[in-house]
Amino acid sequence: MRVIKTILVILLGFGSGAVISGAVFAFISVLGVIPRLAGKTGTEKSIHIYEQAIVIGGVFGTVWGFFEFPVPIPKVLGVVIAFCIGIFYGCMAVSIAEVINVIPILTRRMRLEQGLFLFILAIAIGKLAGSLAYYVVPGFFLPD
Amino acid sequence: MDVYIKPSEKVAENEKKVVKLDDICEIVAPTKILEKLKKLEVVRIEAEKERNYLIDITDIIRLIQKVAPDATINNVGAKSTVIAYNPQLKKQNPVIKVILIGFVSLVLMAGSATAIMSFHTDAQIPQIFKNYHRLFFGEETEKPVLIYVSYSIGLASGIIIFFNHFFGKKIMDDPTPIDVEMTLYDHDVTETIVELLSDKDKQNPSEKEMGESHGLK
């Protein structure tokens, strides 16, 4: 009985993983963060390397999230990685806003044709302020 | 006499100063005029800087009519061609390129690791797995290792199937989702450049030059 249950649990885990990864990574790739980064850096020919990076990152994130084994890295590298996570999430947040056309609709409703650059700057500054408030101001969100 | 032309949507140039008709479109025509058509000068690039030039299909028709007035011109390609002139393109340093690729890879790796973890927390996946373990084996546990491991393997195979290749080896001959996204993105960018440049053309029709690049690539 225990053997059958074990097999069932393994199947359950495997299936959940296959479906969830499809959903999460389809979401990431639909947002268009990867083509944008590749286009901006002029490295369109290397997108297969980028796919590999996502595979490795996704698997590492899952395994590490569950088992939380220690990963000894120097502090500097930690800072660099945190910076990279920030870039990725910044791209993703703006992409989500773009998919639902927040900026085009706002500018149309307000009949504004200029100042797009300022709106984007405002969004960036707002995100920066929000992120700092979240992490730095004690009791704002995280318990102090 | 029938002439068929198939202009490309976008052409990247980095050294040629004179762009000929042959560079931006495929031409099918009777042999006696084919060579003449191929050598037609579409645009002469003067400024040694990054800039996009817009060639409308009507410009091409006018050009062809000058040398072959009785030809019937059939367009089977794009309605306008963007010539992206970028003299720096050929000079891109391979070391910088490797650094850029490494940097973008790091961004994507760190980002997707965080994204999947934040999804797990959001969706309370660890709690769900603990519940599964309780349901199946009737005992509480803090770490249902069995389901963690099988889930991780499932997740890895799911991503690999989704992206359709494994360490450089393609599983099927189809393009990967990122290939598709990249093509769509390029297409959108080209379309936007065409829109912006033709708007500018309408505003100052006397201006011979076909507009600045608007900072887009």
Side-chain angles (χ1 to χ4, degrees):
Chain A
M1 203 53 202
R2 175 108 192 164
V3 178
I4 298 170
K5 277 183 179 173
T6 308
I7 293 170
L8 275 178
V9 166
I10 291 174
L11 278 177
L12 191 72
F14 186 83
S16 317
V19 173
I20 289 175
S21 69
V24 173
F25 291 96
F27 179 65
I28 292 176
S29 72
V30 158
L31 287 179
V33 175
I34 306 157
R36 211 147 294 212
L37 284 175
K40 281 274 168 269
T41 51
T43 50
E44 288 93 337
K45 295 212 171 67
S46 313
I47 45 174
H48 294 286
I49 299 177
Y50 299 154
E51 288 177 347
Q52 226 56 70
I54 292 175
V55 174
I56 295 168
V59 174
F60 175 80
T62 308
V63 176
W64 189 79
F66 287 145
F67 296 105
E68 293 183 337
F69 48 84
V71 185
I73 51 165
K75 240 182 190 155
V76 186
L77 190 58
V79 173
V80 173
I81 289 177
F83 178 68
C84 290
I85 295 172
I87 294 177
F88 184 87
Y89 265 70
C91 293
M92 216 159 87
V94 179
S95 296
I96 294 171
E98 202 183 311
V99 164
I100 52 173
N101 286 331
V102 173
I103 298 173
I105 291 173
L106 263 181
T107 50
R108 236 188 135 78
R109 293 277 178 278
M110 315 276 278
R111 296 204 170 75
L112 292 168
E113 260 144 39
Q114 255 120 40
L116 193 64
F117 152 78
L118 278 178
F119 300 154
I120 292 168
L121 193 68
I123 291 177
I125 292 173
K127 296 253 185 224
L128 177 67
S131 180
L132 281 180
Y134 183 99
Y135 286 114
V136 178
V137 179
F140 187 84
F141 188 86
L142 299 174
D144 35 3
Chain B
M1 186 167 50
D2 277 318
V3 175
Y4 294 89
I5 49 171
K6 189 182 174 194
S8 315
E9 257 182 16
K10 192 180 182 189
V11 186
E13 280 297 345
N14 53 30
E15 31 203 306
K16 266 186 208 141
K17 282 282 170 191
V18 177
V19 181
K20 302 230 165 73
L21 195 57
D22 192 32
D23 299 324
I24 64 163
C25 60
E26 219 174 292
I27 312 163
V28 180
T31 9
K32 53 179 176 172
I33 61 162
L34 184 62
E35 285 310 308
K36 226 201 281 174
L37 291 183
K38 276 188 178 174
K39 294 221 172 64
L40 282 176
E41 191 181 314
V42 178
V43 70
R44 191 178 280 272
I45 292 161
E46 272 148 19
E48 182 69 28
K49 62 174 179 180
E50 195 183 334
R51 170 173 248 179
N52 290 319
Y53 298 83
L54 179 72
I55 309 298
D56 203 76
I57 182 67
T58 50
D59 299 333
I60 299 176
I61 293 175
R62 243 174 260 134
L63 265 179
I64 296 178
Q65 275 179 341
K66 258 186 223 160
V67 292
D70 54 345
T72 313
I73 303 159
N74 300 287
N75 179 26
V76 290
K79 288 201 181 70
S80 43
T81 302
V82 174
I83 301 173
Y85 180 72
N86 186 359
Q88 266 110 51
L89 203 67
K90 57 183 169 181
K91 290 175 204 150
Q92 204 183 31
N93 193 329
V95 178
I96 292 176
K97 196 151 201 166
V98 168
I99 292 172
L100 277 177
I101 293 174
F103 177 67
V104 175
S105 300
L106 189 63
V107 167
L108 293 174
M109 204 152 37
S112 56
T114 314
I116 193 82
M117 283 192 276
S118 85
F119 169 78
H120 288 159
T121 317
D122 252 8
Q124 301 232 22
I125 295 280
Q127 191 56 48
I128 293 169
F129 286 172
K130 268 182 229 163
N131 289 348
Y132 273 154
H133 194 89
R134 202 186 57 234
L135 274 173
F136 275 91
F137 300 116
E139 59 197 24
E140 297 285 342
T141 173
E142 265 312 296
K143 273 198 164 104
V145 174
L146 190 64
I147 196 160
Y148 280 177
V149 171
S150 55
Y151 173 84
S152 302
I153 295 170
L155 190 109
S157 22
I159 314 174
I160 288 165
I161 292 166
F162 180 78
F163 284 128
N164 189 22
H165 68 102
F166 184 62
F167 286 97
K169 279 211 173 103
K170 275 201 176 177
I171 298 165
M172 278 167 73
D173 219 16
D174 287 359
T176 71
I178 303 297
D179 285 333
V180 176
E181 281 299 318
M182 194 78 225
T183 315
L184 281 179
Y185 174 71
D186 277 346
H187 193 82
D188 283 353
V189 169
T190 312
E191 217 161 78
T192 313
I193 292 173
V194 169
E195 287 281 315
L196 289 175
L197 288 185
S198 50
D199 274 3
K200 209 167 182 188
D201 268 6
K202 271 174 217 152
Q203 277 164 18
N204 3 288
S206 61
E207 204 182 294
K208 267 273 160 267
E209 292 212 79
M210 311 241 181
E212 297 273 348
S213 69
H214 295 273
L216 290 165
K217 271 188 197 168

